[in-house]
Amino acid sequence: MLTALAALAMPTSEAIAAKKGRPAQPAEATAPREAGDPLMAIVSIKSQQVTWYDSEGWIYRAPVSTGIKERETPAGVFAIVEKDKDHHSTMYDDAWMPNMQRITWNGLALHGGPLPGYAASHGCVRMPYGFAEKLFDKTRIGMRVIISPEDSAPVDFAHPTLALFAPNAQAIAAAPAKAETLAREATDAATAADDAKKAAAALTRETAPLTASLRKLEKLKARADADLAFADKKLAAAKTDQAKAKAEEFKQKIAAKAAELSTQLDTAKADAASKLDAATAAKEAAKTTQAKKTDTAKAALDAKLAMEPVSIYISRATRTLYVRRNTHKPAPDGGGEVFDTSIESPVEIRDPGKPLGTHIFTAVARNDAGLRWTAVTIDHGDEAKSALDRITIPKDVLDRIGPTALPRSSIVVSDEPLSEETNYRTEFVAVLSDQPQGGFITRKPSEVLVADDNGGYDNGGGYSRQNDNIFGLFFGGDPQPQPSVTRRRGGQQYAPPPVQRGFW
């Protein structure tokens, strides 16, 4: 036990911590070398500390304050999705949250704030004001943020599966020119599709009166044919010569009218045939050019994304592999950027009933073998090497992303399903279900845009919103429900509550 004299010699914050039986607050520190670009930040809930890493190791450390009891900061895997230099909370009385770096849309962020020396926030990660300001301009959207219940750090790691992500120098060198060429082709295809659509619409307008006239004649002809059939029945039912003569006269009049209408209809069809054929051909051409527009746009996007780091999430809960790459396109509702979701595939996991743990593998730099990787473990199941040994990544996925894998690419292996907070404007959000989640599971569900059938987002004069996961809606896929995963706590199996979402 500390003596009173020793306590008096301490800085005030340490004396307070000692008096309350808490460990001394970690000190802010900078590595004794030139810092590179940050690749990831790891928050330790246990130590109330955040450490930032570049490709060579740690570069900055600082104390933090995470969430209080029942408003805990959830442990898990996140990424920066939005940055705001002068943010004010929409939930907590306009509270100032300077140099805010959001990691979920339902209220989790890293930002400057008061640090009492212990967990004291409503779920965010508070950092020293000056530290948050210093880091703000050094990070980028999509940078990995790991929140660990314990003290975790990246270690150098090699594995045959990671070696499959071998950058091809020729493919990487050719990528910019390929992307530029396909972007031009996509622009030309979009112009052609718009022109074809306008031409088809113009011909449709021109032929609308002809179509209406033909429909009118067809209805009159059908009515005359019905009257002629009625006249035949009336003639057959006539009993007297006078009745038969009258019925015959009626039939002749109806037959003449039907014949005249038939002639008019045939003549109108002949006159309109060329214009109607042209309108039909224009509609087919519009469909063809629209299909080409879609295909070239997809090819152009894939070529552009080949120059971006790739993030992979492999879930034992869903036995699915998910891929995310940042398109750098602003989200249509004005918050964050859109992440591509076009690759999603079943994945083979050996012994699927056995926990994998949660491991984050990050390509930190190039080397002679291709890429140099590190590993971070925040939930212990299998060892990192054994966990990767049990996973077989589909060849078609490797063929698409392996040759152009870049530093900052990552692979996350976890027992957890993706949180429902993962949507079109996040990379990945996954929380550890055997750790407290606080307000993350109680806040109002966040709203996300839903694309309409015309490829837009406006519905009745305003954005159409839906409280749902929209994997792929911006990229042609279908939403997939994320099942919960049963974990063990204290020897008892339990199913964690479903994660809800809400605005911050």
Side-chain angles (χ1 to χ4, degrees), residues 62-322:
V64 298
S65 184
T66 59
I68 61 175
K69 184 175 176 57
E70 298 184 356
R71 289 184 174 177
E72 294 91 349
T73 302
V77 180
F78 308 87
I80 295 172
V81 296
E82 185 187 41
K83 298 173 65 173
D84 187 353
K85 188 76 175 172
D86 188 29
H87 183 74
H88 289 260
S89 175
T90 58
M91 291 179 64
Y92 301 115
D93 300 323
D94 200 38
W96 186 41
M97 299 177 175
N99 298 293
M100 184 274 290
Q101 302 192 55
R102 185 189 298 278
I103 59 175
T104 74
W105 293 103
N106 76 337
L108 295 182
L110 285 71
H111 62 80
L115 301 181
Y118 49 88
S121 80
H122 287 91
C124 286
V125 177
R126 298 181 192 167
M127 301 182 293
Y129 286 108
F131 185 85
E133 183 176 10
K134 177 173 68 175
L135 268 294
F136 185 83
D137 291 331
K138 298 180 183 295
T139 61
R140 63 182 73 181
I141 299 296
M143 194 202 82
R144 172 75 65 229
V145 176
I146 300 168
I147 300 178
S148 175
E150 302 291 330
D151 295 334
S152 299
V155 295
D156 288 337
F157 189 85
H159 191 275
T161 295
L162 302 181
L164 297 174
F165 293 84
N168 181 295
Q170 291 182 337
I172 292 174
K178 180 179 179 181
E180 184 177 350
T181 299
L182 287 171
R184 286 197 301 269
E185 291 179 5
T187 299
D188 293 343
T191 300
D194 291 343
D195 290 345
K197 184 178 179 180
K198 290 176 182 177
L203 284 173
T204 299
R205 287 193 299 270
E206 290 178 12
T207 57
L210 293 175
T211 303
S213 178
L214 288 174
R215 287 176 180 170
K216 183 178 179 180
L217 286 172
E218 287 171 347
K219 288 180 179 179
L220 291 173
K221 175 66 167 53
R223 188 180 302 166
D225 289 342
D227 288 343
L228 187 59
F230 174 74
D232 283 336
K233 289 182 180 180
K234 189 173 182 180
L235 179 60
K239 302 298 183 182
T240 64
D241 292 342
Q242 183 179 5
K244 289 179 180 180
K246 190 173 181 179
E248 182 64 32
E249 181 181 1
F250 175 72
K251 177 183 176 181
Q252 292 302 320
K253 289 181 180 180
I254 296 299
K257 183 177 181 181
E260 181 183 358
L261 287 170
S262 181
T263 300
Q264 291 179 9
L265 181 58
D266 290 343
T267 301
K269 284 182 176 180
D271 292 342
S274 60
K275 290 185 177 180
L276 291 174
D277 287 346
T280 300
K283 290 178 181 179
E284 291 301 317
K287 289 181 181 179
T288 300
T289 55
Q290 181 62 38
K292 184 176 180 181
K293 172 185 174 181
T294 301
D295 291 342
T296 54
K298 182 179 183 301
L301 178 62
D302 284 345
K304 178 184 177 183
L305 292 175
M307 298 185 290
E308 294 292 327
V310 62
S311 296
I312 299 171
Y313 188 92
I314 299 172
S315 168
R316 182 175 70 90
T318 61
R319 299 186 197 179
T320 302
L321 177 150
Y322 309 90

Side-chain angles (χ1 to χ4, degrees), residues 76-81 103-104 142 144-145 310-314 321-325 339-341 343 410-412 418-419 421-423 425-431 471:
V77 180
F78 308 87
I80 295 172
V81 296
I103 59 175
T104 74
R144 172 75 65 229
V145 176
V310 62
S311 296
I312 299 171
Y313 188 92
I314 299 172
L321 177 150
Y322 309 90
V323 175
R324 291 284 185 277
R325 287 173 292 186
F339 284 77
D340 176 67
T341 65
I343 302 178
S410 63
I411 301 173
V412 180
L418 284 174
S419 163
E421 269 300 305
T422 303
N423 57 55
R425 54 180 183 154
T426 68
E427 188 229 40
F428 294 122
V429 178
V431 296
F471 283 117

Side-chain angles (χ1 to χ4, degrees), residues 318 322 420 469 479-483:
T318 61
Y322 309 90
E420 288 184 346
N469 196 335
Q480 297 294 328
Q482 296 292 312

